[in-house]
């Protein structure tokens, strides 16, 4: 058994690995960037080593520093977690060359499955069904355009080296293809250092089904059943569950055996996931489920598999890397109940899911579910790393029970002042179609109007805020709100300020208890600043002025499409900002002229920075 390991990662997955390692009596070493020195994973490890500045490229992607730290601290093995260097074949080889154990997939398997086009060709040779598309070496724009036309729209452009939803664009018609290709290539080059792409037929009623596989060095390969990851936004997973709704036993057998076959085709060792795309227009059918790609690492959503199988997948990884056989044979594995996972992100759904950064002055998680988090109250969410605050994982005897627990958990989250998607998650899980299992990858886009909270407080929020400012708990709740009105019942209105704007609220009987803290109330996963109306406060957005193009988030200006003096039309793209490897395009709000440029390409900007000024046409 490995007796010590260095974790080449941070945050939630680092803490997750530490938990299992401690239970097994294994010494843990954390590595961390300069700004991560006070994070929980650093404190919980037996030893910690600083490896560089905040930028991931100079710290968590710095292979030299990580291997040097492992050797210096006497680590026997390196666990890469997920993300960063976890699927870097060169790093895996360097770890082995340094005399250390790599707790991950073999470098040859990483290479074989790392490039989506090569992986699909290998799967075709192995008899695994793949999605129709173009995998050719010719990357000329005209050739790709002709292939897309031949496949038939809609098509999906995907970065060959992509992952995590980055470097991926849906194209609905030929007129959109050139711009989508350019954007995809730019994002792929920035994220993966490789701008090559492949094309796939876009499935109109797609389900994202993936199978957890595990191999050992003794030639054994098993699956731990499927997960459904269809609830996605911009190709990034939001809610995952296991097993997949509507999956019958015969279809499960075919898909899971195809996954095992795919793993055997590359002599796979360790934890991996085979991802499939299913055309669910007629339910889940074995003949309409195709291989998409393989993730040669532990997945973010592995807890749902742990919940239904009763196994610790990190423990399995350590055992396999130590040279031991898989703990169980296929016939010893079975599905127990239902599990769901929701990813709680630091982002604001009401403003297009823009990232939200800052210190977590309040962070409270609910009871009754598993919470895997990389942060604690008082920590900071920075713009340098993934904005995930936590994973909320529920388990129940039935899908309905698991969904009910997860929805309640999401609605009970309390975070301030960083904004989160908690209310969005709760609304998604509570939606009748989700409850019925009618999910596909377009679910969120179709129902976004209902799922995304309004920027204005609802009636329940206003009632709760009004009650919260009433003096002296236990006093007559109407005492400060009642007033004489001519020819009408006494007024029970009270003035309250919520989210910076004033409101008059008619108090109702039977108010519900709501969590509050220092002028902030928490309700249904949302957080609202509240208080008495300030004297002379007019409310509204009078502080905003037309024509200023303002950075909606901190990030880097990666493209400027206009210059000072240019005429622009409403909706015309003006500037692209990148934050956390995701692009945000800002467009002209009206026809006009660029009167002043206030930023240069490649500049770092903070939230609220004025990037350029527009003047309307006379």
């Amino acid at each position: 058994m490995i007796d010590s390991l260095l974790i080449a990662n941070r945050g939630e997955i680092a803490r997750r690995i530490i938990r299992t390692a401690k239970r097994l009596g294994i010494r843990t070493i954390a590595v961390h960037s300069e700004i991560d020195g006070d994070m929980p994973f650093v404190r919980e490890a037996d030893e910690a080593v600083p490896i560089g500045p905040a930028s991931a490229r100079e710290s968590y992607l710095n292979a030299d520093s990580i291997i040097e730290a492992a050797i210096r601290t006497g680590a026997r093995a390196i666990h890469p977690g997920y993300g960063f260097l976890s699927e870097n074949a060169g790093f895996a080889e360097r770890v082995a060359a340094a005399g250390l154990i790599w707790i991950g997939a073999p470098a040859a398997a990483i290479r074989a499955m790392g490039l989506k086009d090569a992986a699909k060709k290998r799967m075709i040779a192995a008899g695994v069904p793949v999605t129709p598309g173009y995998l050719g070496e010719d990357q000329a724009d005209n050739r790709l355009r002709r292939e897309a036309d031949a496949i038939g729209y809609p098509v999906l452009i995907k970065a060959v080296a992509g992952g995590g939803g980055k470097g991926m664009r849906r194209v609905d018609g030929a007129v959109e293809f050139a711009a989508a290709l350019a954007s995809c290539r730019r994002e792929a080059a920035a994220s993966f250092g490789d701008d090559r792409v492949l094309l796939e037929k876009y499935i109109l009623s797609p389900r994202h089904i993936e199978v957890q596989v595990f191999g050992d060095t003794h030639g054994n390969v098993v699956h731990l059943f499927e997960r459904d990851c269809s609830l996605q936004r911009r190709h990034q997973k939001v809610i995952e569950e296991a097993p997949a709704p509507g999956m019958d036993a015969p279809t499960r057998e075919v898909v899971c055996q195809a996954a095992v076959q795919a793993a055997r085709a590359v002599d796979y060792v360790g934890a991996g996931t085979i991802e499939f795309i299913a055309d669910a227009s007629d339910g889940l059918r074995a003949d309409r489920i195709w291989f998409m790609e393989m993730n040669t690492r532990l997945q973010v959503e592995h807890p749902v598999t742990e919940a239904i199988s009763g196994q610790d997948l990190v423990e399995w990884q350590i055992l396999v890397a130590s040279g031991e056989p898989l703990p169980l044979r296929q016939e010893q594995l079975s599905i127990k109940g239902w599990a769901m996972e929701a990813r709680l992100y630091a982002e604001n759904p009401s403003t297009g899911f823009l990232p939200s950064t800052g210190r977590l002055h309040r962070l409270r998680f609910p009871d009754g579910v598993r919470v895997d988090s990389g942060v604690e109250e008082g920590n900071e969410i920075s713009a340098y790393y993934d904005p995930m605050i936590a994973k909320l994982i529920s388990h129940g005897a039935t899908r309905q029970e698991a969904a009910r627990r997860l929805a309640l958990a999401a609605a009970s989250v309390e975070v301030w002042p960083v904004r989160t998607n908690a209310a969005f998650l709760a609304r998604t899980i509570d939606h009748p179609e989700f409850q019925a299992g009618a999910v596909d990858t377009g679910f969120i886009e179709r129902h976004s109007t209902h799922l995304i909270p309004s920027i204005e407080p609802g009636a329940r929020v206003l009632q709760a805020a009004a009650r919260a400012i009433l003096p002296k708990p236990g006093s007559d709740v109407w005492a400060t709100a009642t007033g004489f009105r001519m020819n009408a019942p006494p007024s029970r209105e009270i003035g309250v300020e919520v989210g910076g704007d004033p409101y008059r609220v008619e108090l109702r009987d039977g108010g519900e208890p709501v969590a509050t803290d220092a002028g902030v109330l928490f309700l249904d996963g949302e957080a609202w600043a509240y208080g008495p109306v300030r004297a002379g406060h007019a409310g509204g957005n009078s502080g905003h002025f037309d024509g200023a193009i303002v950075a909606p988030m901190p990030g880097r200006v990666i493209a400027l499409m206009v210059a000072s003096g240019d005429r622009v039309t409403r909706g015309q793209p003006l500037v692209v900002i990148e934050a956390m490897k995701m692009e945000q395009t800002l467009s002209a709000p009206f026809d006009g002229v660029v009167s002043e440029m206030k930023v240069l390409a490649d500049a770092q900007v903070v939230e609220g920075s004025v990037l350029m000024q527009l003047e309307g046409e006379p």
Side-chain angles (χ1 to χ4, degrees), residues 77-416:
I78 290 181
H79 195 310
Y82 50 70
F84 294 132
L85 294 169
S86 63
E87 293 182 281
N88 187 307
F91 181 62
E93 289 172 334
R94 291 188 59 185
V95 169
L100 301 166
I101 296 172
W102 169 251
I103 305 180
I110 295 174
R111 283 200 173 92
M113 305 303 275
L115 296 179
K116 294 181 180 1
D117 55 346
K120 287 193 173 187
K121 291 173 184 176
R122 185 179 288 261
M123 292 302 101
I124 291 170
V128 178
V130 303
T131 316
Y134 172 71
L135 309 173
E137 297 295 329
D138 187 348
Q139 291 284 301
D141 289 8
N142 288 339
R143 175 61 184 275
L144 291 169
R145 166 70 177 275
R146 289 197 303 272
E147 293 292 342
D149 291 344
I151 293 167
Y153 296 96
V155 298
L156 197 62
I157 307 174
K158 297 174 71 172
V160 164
K166 299 179 179 66
M168 190 180 301
R169 298 291 186 276
R170 171 181 169 172
V171 185
D172 290 315
V175 69
E176 306 169 17
F177 188 83
L181 176 62
S183 178
C184 185
R185 279 180 164 160
R186 185 168 58 241
E187 189 170 281
S191 298
F192 314 111
D194 186 343
D195 69 352
R196 290 177 299 155
V197 301
L198 59 84
L199 304 177
E200 283 181 358
K201 176 65 179 174
Y202 188 88
I203 308 302
L204 290 175
S205 297
R207 291 271 296 277
H208 184 132
I209 308 294
E210 60 186 34
V211 178
Q212 177 72 60
V213 294
F214 237 103
D216 63 22
T217 56
H218 303 273
N220 302 306
V221 180
V222 300
H223 67 80
L224 288 93
F225 312 104
E226 83 280 1
R227 299 183 288 255
D228 191 304
C229 303
S230 300
L231 263 291
Q232 300 180 9
R233 186 187 62 80
R234 296 177 184 169
H235 304 293
Q236 290 189 306
K237 299 167 188 174
V238 176
I239 296 172
E240 303 101 346
E241 59 182 304
M247 178 76 78
D248 60 30
T251 303
R252 174 175 294 117
E253 178 66 18
V254 171
V255 173
C256 289
Q257 286 307 313
V260 170
Q261 186 178 346
R264 289 191 182 280
V266 291
D267 299 319
Y268 199 76
V269 175
T273 296
I274 309 296
E275 300 197 354
F276 296 90
I277 188 77
D279 180 351
S281 57
D282 191 26
L284 290 179
R285 290 172 33 187
D287 63 344
R288 305 192 75 172
I289 301 178
W290 301 284
F291 171 87
M292 277 202 309
E293 62 188 21
M294 182 177 190
N295 289 302
T296 51
R297 54 172 166 79
L298 193 67
Q299 290 281 93
V300 177
E301 58 272 23
H302 75 273
V304 295
T305 295
E306 293 184 326
I308 66 162
S309 67
Q311 304 303 309
D312 183 331
L313 297 192
V314 174
E315 180 179 354
W316 278 42
Q317 286 187 295
I318 294 171
L319 293 174
V320 166
S322 298
E324 299 185 24
L326 293 175
L328 297 174
R329 300 184 304 275
Q330 189 67 66
E331 61 269 22
Q332 294 174 297
L333 293 163
S334 61
I335 296 174
K336 305 174 183 69
W338 212 287
M340 291 185 181
E341 175 183 292
R343 303 188 188 192
L344 180 68
Y345 279 110
E347 60 186 12
N348 189 348
S350 299
T351 58
F353 294 90
L354 294 179
S356 180
T357 59
R359 192 163 300 280
L360 296 163
H361 295 306
R362 185 176 179 91
L363 177 62
R364 306 290 168 86
F365 295 122
D367 296 325
V369 296
R370 170 177 165 179
V371 178
D372 286 8
S373 177
V375 293
E376 295 175 345
E377 195 167 272
N379 291 149
E380 185 168 356
I381 301 295
S382 79
Y384 288 101
Y385 311 118
D386 186 273
M388 187 169 69
I389 295 175
K391 300 183 303 195
L392 309 176
I393 305 105
S394 66
H395 183 252
T398 64
R399 186 175 187 272
Q400 290 72 26
E401 183 180 346
R404 177 181 56 80
R405 290 178 177 174
L406 189 59
L408 178 61
S412 302
V413 165
E414 299 175 16
V415 181
W416 184 262

Side-chain angles (χ1 to χ4, degrees), residues 14-35:
R15 297 182 84 186
R16 167 71 190 87
I17 295 166
I18 289 170
R19 285 200 306 273
T20 291
K22 284 185 177 295
R23 181 172 58 78
L24 298 176
I26 298 171
R27 181 170 68 94
T28 57
I29 300 99
V31 293
H32 64 89
S33 67
E34 290 174 356
I35 66 169

Side-chain angles (χ1 to χ4, degrees), residues 466-482 494 507:
R467 290 175 181 279
I469 66 169
L470 291 172
K472 287 204 299 187
S475 65
D476 179 2
V477 296
W478 307 119
T480 60
T482 301
I494 187 168
L507 289 169

Side-chain angles (χ1 to χ4, degrees), residues 544-566:
H544 294 189
F545 55 99
D546 291 341
I549 305 302
V550 176
M553 60 186 179
R556 182 172 66 91
V557 176
I558 62 170
L560 287 171
M561 288 83 157
V562 294
S564 182
D566 286 355

